[in-house]
Amino acid sequence: MKKPFTKTWIAASALTLGMTVLTPIYVGAAPVETTNNAIIQLEQTITGTIQYFDEESIMLKGTDGKNYFIGLYKFSDKQIKQWSLAEGQEITVEGSIVEDYLDFLTFDVYKKSLPEGVTAEELVQLEKLFHDLKKAAKEDNYEEMEKAWEQIDRIVTPYELANWEPESFEEFINEAEFTEKNVVIKEQDRKQLETLYKEYIKLAKEDKTEEASEILDTFYTILAPYFDELYPPLTFEEYMTDLEIEVPEEELANLKVIYEEALKADTAKNEELSTKLWEQFYQTLNAHIKPVPFEEYIADMEFDIREDDYVKLQQYYEEAIALSRSGEDEKADEKWTAFYNILEPYYEANRAILISASKLTLNGKDLLPESTK
């Protein structure tokens, strides 16, 4: 049981990001003590090696030995794509520290995602609602988050619908690659699908969400058999080929029977039988999965562990594995808790410092956020 790496999402689906903002105004560099006791400046320059990146962030190993999560939310997707970032590259970042992942999302960033037509008066309302939403998110106040989002939605949705240019039916249906995979949709079904698609667009444009959703459900019910043909289930042999699990020959035959019966139950939409069979299949399969050796597991940690903690960790790890395999899950959970209680201070001490980037320098070239429109 390996502790999962969790990425903290910047905001709820309500806060779809637009990626450009004003070029920041540099302020005095007042020192701040972060949660992992690293003293850094509010505005600072960091040089390091890219460990991981996407269009929104860079994980950076600084030349100072510290880990940095660099938020790229002030830059547009287009800017980042054009820069051809790569793991292992050395890059210099100028930016400011933020205390929370939510702090990357400023109103200047958010408003770049707003559709055309929003008035100055509505922008004032949206800014207040935006800050209410962020405050509620930090407090895990989901009721207030929902209220704020509903008010934002009332303002923004009419403009989004007015600016929405839906795909044609042919473009939409061809995205599934039916033609490329030689899956032929019957003419009668195609006509019905096109009618439903046009009705869905009409209802969606009128902001009749529930009615549009019902139409879409009918649409995909008709398409379901064609998707089954497009993506046929794997045979038992194909499924087992991708698994690095050694199962005795005498059990393989039994597993194959369970697997094929489970597929039949899926086809017949017998959910109760399907659930029972798949649980039986995976319980049998899981009994043959070999746990990762402790040494291999701990080698993934990007920090040094004291010898006395290392010994305790190995003990708890092996005890937890043994208890899990014997079905003593509650006792195993106690061992895992003790295991991660030892590791937690190491995770905390090596937690990435959050930096909101306002300038990137790569191979002598500078990149600044695009100006606000």
Side-chain angles (χ1 to χ4, degrees), residues 180-196:
E180 291 85 341
K181 301 293 177 63
N182 296 318
V183 175
V184 180
I185 299 175
K186 296 176 183 176
E187 187 60 30
Q188 181 180 349
D189 286 341
R190 178 176 282 274
K191 287 180 179 178
Q192 188 176 358
L193 286 168
E194 185 168 6
T195 299
L196 287 168

Side-chain angles (χ1 to χ4, degrees), residues 48-265:
T49 303
I50 297 175
Q51 305 295 303
Y52 166 84
F53 71 95
D54 56 27
E55 291 173 5
E56 296 179 345
S57 63
I58 295 173
M59 286 299 299
L60 195 69
K61 188 69 172 182
T63 53
D64 57 5
K66 297 184 178 72
N67 298 313
Y68 294 92
F69 179 95
I70 310 298
L72 303 177
Y73 305 98
K74 295 176 181 177
F75 300 86
S76 68
D77 291 351
K78 182 180 178 181
Q79 283 183 293
I80 300 304
K81 284 179 182 177
Q82 288 178 339
W83 254 44
S84 302
L85 297 174
E87 292 178 10
Q89 284 179 329
E90 185 173 276
I91 192 169
T92 296
V93 178
E94 289 184 24
S96 56
I97 182 175
V98 297
E99 296 180 357
D100 189 283
Y101 286 92
L102 277 169
D103 293 329
F104 285 117
L105 185 58
T106 65
F107 185 69
D108 275 333
V109 171
Y110 166 65
K111 72 181 181 182
K112 298 305 294 184
S113 68
L114 294 174
E116 292 182 12
V118 177
T119 66
E121 182 181 351
E122 287 169 332
L123 272 178
V124 172
Q125 297 174 43
L126 285 169
E127 184 165 12
K128 180 185 180 303
L129 290 168
F130 174 85
H131 291 301
D132 289 345
L133 183 58
K134 280 184 65 174
K135 180 176 182 291
K138 287 188 177 184
E139 296 170 352
D140 293 328
N141 189 333
Y142 300 109
E143 184 177 347
E144 290 301 316
M145 286 175 65
E146 185 174 355
K147 286 180 182 177
W149 171 239
E150 286 176 353
Q151 293 180 69
I152 290 173
D153 196 36
R154 287 194 203 101
I155 296 171
V156 174
T157 298
Y159 295 106
E160 289 179 335
L161 293 175
N163 286 281
W164 179 36
E165 296 182 4
E167 297 174 294
S168 69
F169 171 73
E170 291 299 328
E171 289 173 326
F172 183 77
I173 204 73
N174 286 337
E175 286 179 1
E177 298 184 347
F178 290 117
T179 304
E180 291 85 341
K181 301 293 177 63
N182 296 318
V183 175
V184 180
I185 299 175
K186 296 176 183 176
E187 187 60 30
Q188 181 180 349
D189 286 341
R190 178 176 282 274
K191 287 180 179 178
Q192 188 176 358
L193 286 168
E194 185 168 6
T195 299
L196 287 168
Y197 182 74
K198 290 178 179 177
E199 181 64 16
Y200 161 74
I201 296 298
K202 177 178 178 294
L203 291 168
K205 280 275 192 182
E206 294 170 356
D207 199 18
K208 296 179 179 178
T209 308
E210 289 187 15
E211 295 95 325
S213 180
E214 290 173 5
I215 293 292
L216 212 54
D217 287 343
T218 304
F219 183 92
Y220 283 114
T221 298
I222 296 171
L223 270 185
Y226 298 103
F227 277 117
D228 290 341
E229 186 180 349
L230 190 63
Y231 304 107
L234 297 175
T235 65
F236 175 72
E237 289 75 16
E238 289 171 334
Y239 180 86
M240 293 300 293
T241 297
D242 294 333
L243 300 179
E244 297 179 359
I245 301 176
E246 294 181 10
V247 180
E249 286 293 330
E250 59 271 18
E251 286 194 47
L252 271 178
N254 181 49
L255 268 176
K256 181 175 182 178
V257 171
I258 297 171
Y259 183 86
E260 292 176 348
E261 288 299 315
L263 289 180
K264 289 179 184 177

